[in-house]
Every structure is written in C-alpha cells, then in structure tokens.
Amino acid sequence: MIVILTMLSGIIIGLSLGILGAGGAILTVPVLVFFVGLDEKTAIAHSLVVVGVIAFTGTLLNLRRRGSIPDSKTLLLFAVSSAPAAAAGAMVGAVISAKWQIGILVLLMIIAATRMLRASPEHSAGAASAMKLLLVGAGTGAITGLVGVGGGFLIVPALVLFASLPMVRATATSLVLIVLNTLVAAVTLIATDNAPQWHSMVLLTLCGFGIAGVIAGQFIAGRLPAQRIRHLFAWCLIFIAAFFVIRTFLGPGQELL
C-alpha cells in the first residue's frame, strides 16, 4: 500500500510542477513523512533531490515549447542571489527545530497565496529594479535551503508580482531556479555532513513517477487559462498549509510552537 501511495504521490508532485511550476516539495515533504514514515529532517533532504530531478525534466521540456522559454534576464538576477542564499539557508535549516521549519513554511505559503489571489498577474507591479529582484531572489533561495523546498511557491508569485512576467514564463523560469536552488542546498547538506541516510528506492520511485507527472502536467498547462492556473495555485497553497497545521501542530500528541 505504501508503494502504491508513493507512486501516486510522485505523479501528483510532477503534475504540480508541470502545471504550476511550483508546489512539488510542499507535497513531497508530507508524502515522505506521513506515507513513507521518514522523519522531518530526512524528508526535507530527500525532497530536495526529488524536486530537483523533476524540475530539471520540466525545464528540458520547456526548452522545446516556444511560449515557455525562461526569461533570461530575470533568471540571471535571481540565480546570482538565490544560489548562495540557498546554501546559507541549508546550513541554518540543519540545526534548527523541524517544527520551526514547518511553521515558517506554512506562514510563507499563506502570504504567497494571499498575494496571488489579490493581484492581477499581468499588471500587479511595474518592472522591478535589478536590486529588488536580487533581494527577492536571495529571499527565495534562503527559504529553499531552510525549509527544504524548491522555492517555486515563492518564486512564481515573486516573478509574477515583481518581475511582471506572464504566468507561463514565470512557471518556466521558476523550474530552472528550482533546479539550481535544490542542487545547491543538497550539495551543501552533503558537504557539511548534515545529510541523512539516503533511501534509494524511495528516491527512484518518486523521481520516476514524478517525471511522468511533469510531462502530463505541462500538456495540461498549455490548455488552461493563466488566471485559472494562478488561482488554482493559490488555493492549493492554502489547502496544504491548513493540512500542515492540523497534522503537525494540532494532531494527537502535538504541541503548538
């Protein structure tokens, strides 16, 4: 039963990254904790690898689609600041409480969802300055390392709201940044001897079925209106944040932060 749930979860994670360019690690961490039985720290480390591999596949697919090419200027500004920030976040995340990590993740999910629901994707902000994009990139990179996610749930709204990118290009750019940030964070964990014991079958199962999901997700995304995708993304964040609060902080035997 656990194997079947892991396979289905891999497909759902891939669909999320393929359609939204985000949300993969938000789903991966609870899957690894509640279905596979890994502890939070181990789940976060495995999540970095799984999401990075699936996002890399999505990036390769995007390069073949004319309307889904990443925005090179925005990508460069984000990459320059997010990569070192992801490394720093990974070092901090390795030593703080897992509950603090989940709490930060939930808070940021709610903020990002609220911003996405309020703002118009095409006209919510003018062209941001290079300095603002560098700061936002550093923030998303730090979150990637700190809470073990690709950062797409923050990168996508940041690209839409601050870089004024259309949803399709924001999604494509987000996938590239997710690959970079997860790679840097994972390598940092290994280099600082903070990586847990790796479970190869779990990684192979989630990556394999996640790749199938991201292919299907990109096919679906090309047939959905951008505004509907944006709203779907926001409501998914709210739902998953509520799930995290109930299971992590309000479940049996749990204490509030």
Side-chain angles (χ1 to χ4, degrees):
M1 186 63 179
I2 292 177
V3 175
I4 295 175
L5 288 174
T6 305
M7 291 177 178
L8 290 174
S9 299
I11 293 174
I12 294 172
I13 292 164
L15 284 171
S16 173
L17 283 169
I19 296 174
L20 305 173
I26 295 175
L27 299 172
T28 308
V29 173
V31 163
L32 292 171
V33 172
F34 300 123
F35 293 164
V36 182
L38 303 183
D39 62 82
E40 288 88 348
K41 294 288 186 181
T42 304
I44 287 172
H46 281 63
S47 173
L48 290 170
V49 177
V50 171
V51 174
V53 169
I54 298 174
F56 179 71
T57 303
T59 297
L60 293 180
L61 294 173
N62 276 332
L63 293 177
R64 302 180 61 182
R65 298 169 57 197
R66 181 176 300 177
S68 299
I69 301 298
D71 185 84
S72 57
K73 178 182 177 181
T74 304
L75 176 61
L76 177 61
L77 290 172
F78 264 67
V80 166
S81 58
S82 65
M91 289 187 285
V92 174
V95 298
I96 67 173
S97 165
K99 279 195 173 183
W100 276 106
Q101 289 176 289
I102 298 299
I104 294 170
L105 178 60
V106 167
L107 177 62
L108 291 170
M109 287 165 65
I110 294 173
I111 293 173
T114 302
R115 292 293 300 273
M116 290 294 285
L117 286 172
R118 286 181 178 177
S120 167
E122 304 295 340
H123 305 290
S124 58
S129 65
M131 181 57 67
K132 179 178 287 187
L133 292 179
L134 287 171
L135 291 175
V136 175
T140 56
I143 294 302
T144 295
L146 181 62
V147 299
V149 302
F153 74 98
L154 290 176
I155 294 172
V156 171
L159 293 174
V160 170
L161 298 170
F162 294 107
S164 299
L165 293 184
M167 189 69 184
V168 173
R169 296 204 74 183
T171 299
T173 306
S174 170
L175 286 176
V176 180
L177 291 167
I178 288 172
V179 174
L180 174 65
N181 289 344
T182 52
L183 176 62
V184 170
V187 170
T188 300
L189 286 177
I190 296 172
T192 56
D193 296 324
N194 287 316
Q197 180 181 356
W198 298 102
H199 298 268
S200 57
M201 286 306 300
V202 173
L203 290 174
L204 289 174
T205 301
L206 282 176
C207 287
F209 283 86
I211 288 172
V214 78
I215 294 172
Q218 292 203 345
F219 177 81
I220 295 171
R223 288 156 176 77
L224 291 177
Q227 184 175 4
R228 182 172 298 178
I229 296 175
R230 183 173 60 91
H231 285 174
L232 174 64
F233 179 33
W235 284 111
C236 283
L237 290 182
I238 293 172
F239 174 79
I240 298 170
F243 174 81
F244 260 122
V245 170
I246 293 170
R247 294 298 298 268
T248 304
F249 303 115
L250 302 180
Q254 301 292 340
E255 297 179 356
L256 291 173
L257 285 173

